[in-house]
Amino acid sequence: MITESVLHHSLMSEARDHRPARSCLPRDIPRLPGIGDHLATARSLLLHRIDEAREAVEAVLAETPGSFPALPPVPREGEPVVGHAHFLIRTYLDPFMSAVFNGERSVRLPVSGKRLKKVTRRLHDAVEEFDVAHRPVADLAGRLAGEYPGLRATTYERTSAALLVLGAWDASHRSPRAVWAQSLLRSVERDGHIRLGLFVCPPVDFTRINGDRPELYLRDHMHGSVLSRLAGRLRDLFRGLEDARVEVDLRVIVGDTDEDDYLWYGVDAPPHLDRVALDARREALVGAVAAYLTEEVPGARGSHPRVFRGSSLTVQRLSALAPSTECRDVYASVLAAPFDHFEQRDIEAEKAIMRGLWEPGSYYQGLTEPDDTTLTGIVVRKFATYAMQGRLLREMEPDMVLVQTERPPLLRARMLNAGWDETGRRPLPTVDFFEAGEG
């Protein structure tokens, strides 16, 4: 529990009075590309060297019972291994070496001196390699412990590993790292894992909108979807977290309300659209997204999940979530006074992006392209929709970090946080797929 910690009192006060908690944690966490892979490789080597050492120790103990302590079991999954390596060296390997290389009083053991030297040296080297790979995690954990004292050591360790992986993957470097740290610390201390969110655009084919069954515009598979174009780099993120031994609770939300929230206000929906059939397709899409994310695919290092491997995956459709009164008020507020939240250049930038969606082969192909005035109205409603959704995310999961896969990330951040811009609350923490300048 964290109820008596400084973290609880300093950070939970934010939830009570809407003031952001102060932090002196530097914005720039070291960017270490491949940190998860480096940690996994070093740990794998260390475990291999531990197995070698244990084999030699077991051979000696088999012929010298009672002379040394019983060999403890290999550390279980998730337990530290460096301490076990040091124990093997200190308790067995060094004394064995002293006994074998002791001049006239040397003794003969079942394992040769040459093998003992090799095993000991290789285990020493593996410990050093692991220490080098792990040092950034340990250093950051120490900084977090100084900034937010009173939590479990494993909380600082896991949070630091997560911060380093997220920081290396994040392309925009926009979200303050202290905001990440606070959200992750709370989640790890409470549940043992971090919480990430991901919006998924539903796969569509609007060329079918004027057919006999217009609800078929919502496709029932993810191949060729927007998600499919993002899958490789998303996999890099989740593999990095796996390699760093960071457990993830991933909440995926299928954003299937865009038409009702803003598009149909400027583009006529088909009068014979079967809403019941469309809702059934939306529900079926939830299973399709979950299957696509976790589907095992072949790779150079063997099969791997297309995007996510983990025990905690939740996929929901936005159309099945009931927004709170506060969320609906946010939508109405932005709709009534968009320039209280956004600038004209924001609206023009989004209009330019949306015009591109009507180009041949793009997302809205098959729909009638609206005129400029109508498009402006659609964009204002889109801004209101994102502001409502950002508020909804924070209400659902206050400690979630959003994996933000839309461009441009700076504008999307303003859209998602508009629902909080008069409350003094901290922004929604995000890690961004695209660089800040990518539009």
mmCIF file of all heavy atoms in Angstrom, residues 323-333 387-388 391-392 395 419-420:
data_model
loop_
_atom_site.group_PDB
_atom_site.id
_atom_site.type_symbol
_atom_site.label_atom_id
_atom_site.label_comp_id
_atom_site.label_asym_id
_atom_site.label_seq_id
_atom_site.Cartn_x
_atom_site.Cartn_y
_atom_site.Cartn_z
ATOM 1 N N PRO A 323 -20.214 7.975 -21.888
ATOM 2 C CA PRO A 323 -19.480 9.118 -21.338
ATOM 3 C C PRO A 323 -20.231 9.748 -20.172
ATOM 4 O O PRO A 323 -21.463 9.767 -20.143
ATOM 5 C CB PRO A 323 -19.383 10.084 -22.526
ATOM 6 C CG PRO A 323 -20.508 9.706 -23.430
ATOM 7 C CD PRO A 323 -20.710 8.236 -23.245
ATOM 8 N N SER A 324 -19.470 10.230 -19.221
ATOM 9 C CA SER A 324 -20.061 10.875 -18.050
ATOM 10 C C SER A 324 -20.665 12.223 -18.431
ATOM 11 O O SER A 324 -20.469 12.734 -19.546
ATOM 12 C CB SER A 324 -18.980 11.087 -16.986
ATOM 13 O OG SER A 324 -18.016 12.033 -17.455
ATOM 14 N N THR A 325 -21.394 12.794 -17.497
ATOM 15 C CA THR A 325 -21.944 14.135 -17.712
ATOM 16 C C THR A 325 -20.824 15.132 -17.979
ATOM 17 O O THR A 325 -20.949 16.008 -18.847
ATOM 18 C CB THR A 325 -22.754 14.573 -16.490
ATOM 19 O OG1 THR A 325 -23.845 13.656 -16.297
ATOM 20 C CG2 THR A 325 -23.299 15.985 -16.675
ATOM 21 N N GLU A 326 -19.714 14.991 -17.244
ATOM 22 C CA GLU A 326 -18.578 15.894 -17.444
ATOM 23 C C GLU A 326 -18.000 15.752 -18.852
ATOM 24 O O GLU A 326 -17.616 16.746 -19.473
ATOM 25 C CB GLU A 326 -17.500 15.622 -16.402
ATOM 26 C CG GLU A 326 -17.854 16.021 -14.980
ATOM 27 C CD GLU A 326 -18.804 15.043 -14.295
ATOM 28 O OE1 GLU A 326 -19.000 13.926 -14.839
ATOM 29 O OE2 GLU A 326 -19.353 15.395 -13.231
ATOM 30 N N CYS A 327 -17.929 14.521 -19.358
ATOM 31 C CA CYS A 327 -17.447 14.305 -20.725
ATOM 32 C C CYS A 327 -18.362 14.974 -21.740
ATOM 33 O O CYS A 327 -17.894 15.635 -22.679
ATOM 34 C CB CYS A 327 -17.343 12.816 -21.021
ATOM 35 S SG CYS A 327 -15.995 11.968 -20.177
ATOM 36 N N ARG A 328 -19.654 14.801 -21.567
ATOM 37 C CA ARG A 328 -20.598 15.420 -22.500
ATOM 38 C C ARG A 328 -20.540 16.944 -22.405
ATOM 39 O O ARG A 328 -20.691 17.643 -23.412
ATOM 40 C CB ARG A 328 -22.012 14.905 -22.219
ATOM 41 C CG ARG A 328 -22.195 13.422 -22.553
ATOM 42 C CD ARG A 328 -23.669 13.043 -22.558
ATOM 43 N NE ARG A 328 -24.259 13.164 -21.226
ATOM 44 C CZ ARG A 328 -24.285 12.191 -20.325
ATOM 45 N NH1 ARG A 328 -23.728 11.016 -20.612
ATOM 46 N NH2 ARG A 328 -24.844 12.365 -19.153
ATOM 47 N N ASP A 329 -20.295 17.443 -21.197
ATOM 48 C CA ASP A 329 -20.161 18.897 -21.037
ATOM 49 C C ASP A 329 -18.930 19.422 -21.775
ATOM 50 O O ASP A 329 -18.955 20.530 -22.326
ATOM 51 C CB ASP A 329 -20.064 19.256 -19.554
ATOM 52 C CG ASP A 329 -21.385 19.097 -18.823
ATOM 53 O OD1 ASP A 329 -22.426 18.954 -19.505
ATOM 54 O OD2 ASP A 329 -21.379 19.084 -17.574
ATOM 55 N N VAL A 330 -17.856 18.624 -21.775
ATOM 56 C CA VAL A 330 -16.651 19.016 -22.505
ATOM 57 C C VAL A 330 -16.960 19.120 -23.995
ATOM 58 O O VAL A 330 -16.571 20.085 -24.671
ATOM 59 C CB VAL A 330 -15.512 18.005 -22.248
ATOM 60 C CG1 VAL A 330 -14.393 18.173 -23.276
ATOM 61 C CG2 VAL A 330 -14.961 18.176 -20.851
ATOM 62 N N TYR A 331 -17.654 18.121 -24.531
ATOM 63 C CA TYR A 331 -18.033 18.129 -25.947
ATOM 64 C C TYR A 331 -18.842 19.393 -26.267
ATOM 65 O O TYR A 331 -18.552 20.108 -27.239
ATOM 66 C CB TYR A 331 -18.838 16.880 -26.267
ATOM 67 C CG TYR A 331 -19.223 16.724 -27.721
ATOM 68 C CD1 TYR A 331 -18.421 15.997 -28.601
ATOM 69 C CD2 TYR A 331 -20.394 17.288 -28.216
ATOM 70 C CE1 TYR A 331 -18.771 15.838 -29.942
ATOM 71 C CE2 TYR A 331 -20.756 17.151 -29.550
ATOM 72 C CZ TYR A 331 -19.950 16.428 -30.404
ATOM 73 O OH TYR A 331 -20.299 16.289 -31.717
ATOM 74 N N ALA A 332 -19.830 19.678 -25.428
ATOM 75 C CA ALA A 332 -20.692 20.838 -25.662
ATOM 76 C C ALA A 332 -19.907 22.144 -25.554
ATOM 77 O O ALA A 332 -20.148 23.089 -26.315
ATOM 78 C CB ALA A 332 -21.854 20.824 -24.670
ATOM 79 N N SER A 333 -18.975 22.205 -24.609
ATOM 80 C CA SER A 333 -18.186 23.422 -24.407
ATOM 81 C C SER A 333 -17.325 23.738 -25.619
ATOM 82 O O SER A 333 -17.273 24.883 -26.074
ATOM 83 C CB SER A 333 -17.313 23.269 -23.160
ATOM 84 O OG SER A 333 -16.424 24.358 -23.029
ATOM 85 N N ALA A 387 -11.616 15.982 -27.337
ATOM 86 C CA ALA A 387 -11.580 16.524 -25.974
ATOM 87 C C ALA A 387 -12.409 15.654 -25.036
ATOM 88 O O ALA A 387 -11.995 15.367 -23.898
ATOM 89 C CB ALA A 387 -12.103 17.956 -25.981
ATOM 90 N N MET A 388 -13.566 15.212 -25.502
ATOM 91 C CA MET A 388 -14.412 14.332 -24.700
ATOM 92 C C MET A 388 -13.719 12.995 -24.455
ATOM 93 O O MET A 388 -13.756 12.454 -23.344
ATOM 94 C CB MET A 388 -15.743 14.117 -25.408
ATOM 95 C CG MET A 388 -16.697 13.158 -24.704
ATOM 96 S SD MET A 388 -18.306 13.041 -25.509
ATOM 97 C CE MET A 388 -17.855 12.313 -27.094
ATOM 98 N N ARG A 391 -10.936 13.244 -21.863
ATOM 99 C CA ARG A 391 -11.516 13.275 -20.514
ATOM 100 C C ARG A 391 -11.976 11.875 -20.102
ATOM 101 O O ARG A 391 -11.775 11.450 -18.962
ATOM 102 C CB ARG A 391 -12.698 14.241 -20.503
ATOM 103 C CG ARG A 391 -13.432 14.306 -19.177
ATOM 104 C CD ARG A 391 -13.077 15.535 -18.418
ATOM 105 N NE ARG A 391 -13.648 15.531 -17.081
ATOM 106 C CZ ARG A 391 -13.688 16.610 -16.303
ATOM 107 N NH1 ARG A 391 -13.212 17.751 -16.737
ATOM 108 N NH2 ARG A 391 -14.180 16.543 -15.094
ATOM 109 N N LEU A 392 -12.599 11.160 -21.039
ATOM 110 C CA LEU A 392 -13.082 9.809 -20.749
ATOM 111 C C LEU A 392 -11.927 8.891 -20.365
ATOM 112 O O LEU A 392 -12.041 8.099 -19.411
ATOM 113 C CB LEU A 392 -13.810 9.253 -21.970
ATOM 114 C CG LEU A 392 -14.325 7.815 -21.878
ATOM 115 C CD1 LEU A 392 -15.387 7.702 -20.796
ATOM 116 C CD2 LEU A 392 -14.878 7.361 -23.222
ATOM 117 N N GLU A 395 -10.825 9.571 -16.844
ATOM 118 C CA GLU A 395 -11.810 9.111 -15.871
ATOM 119 C C GLU A 395 -11.764 7.593 -15.729
ATOM 120 O O GLU A 395 -11.902 7.054 -14.629
ATOM 121 C CB GLU A 395 -13.215 9.557 -16.293
ATOM 122 C CG GLU A 395 -13.435 11.060 -16.164
ATOM 123 C CD GLU A 395 -14.835 11.475 -16.583
ATOM 124 O OE1 GLU A 395 -15.601 10.594 -17.022
ATOM 125 O OE2 GLU A 395 -15.160 12.672 -16.477
ATOM 126 N N GLY A 419 -10.273 18.996 -22.600
ATOM 127 C CA GLY A 419 -11.259 18.788 -21.537
ATOM 128 C C GLY A 419 -10.740 19.084 -20.156
ATOM 129 O O GLY A 419 -11.503 19.105 -19.186
ATOM 130 N N TRP A 420 -9.427 19.320 -20.050
ATOM 131 C CA TRP A 420 -8.832 19.612 -18.745
ATOM 132 C C TRP A 420 -8.224 21.007 -18.696
ATOM 133 O O TRP A 420 -7.656 21.398 -17.685
ATOM 134 C CB TRP A 420 -7.719 18.599 -18.440
ATOM 135 C CG TRP A 420 -8.201 17.184 -18.376
ATOM 136 C CD1 TRP A 420 -8.067 16.236 -19.340
ATOM 137 C CD2 TRP A 420 -8.895 16.565 -17.302
ATOM 138 N NE1 TRP A 420 -8.631 15.056 -18.936
ATOM 139 C CE2 TRP A 420 -9.150 15.228 -17.683
ATOM 140 C CE3 TRP A 420 -9.331 16.999 -16.055
ATOM 141 C CZ2 TRP A 420 -9.816 14.325 -16.863
ATOM 142 C CZ3 TRP A 420 -9.992 16.100 -15.233
ATOM 143 C CH2 TRP A 420 -10.235 14.791 -15.639
#
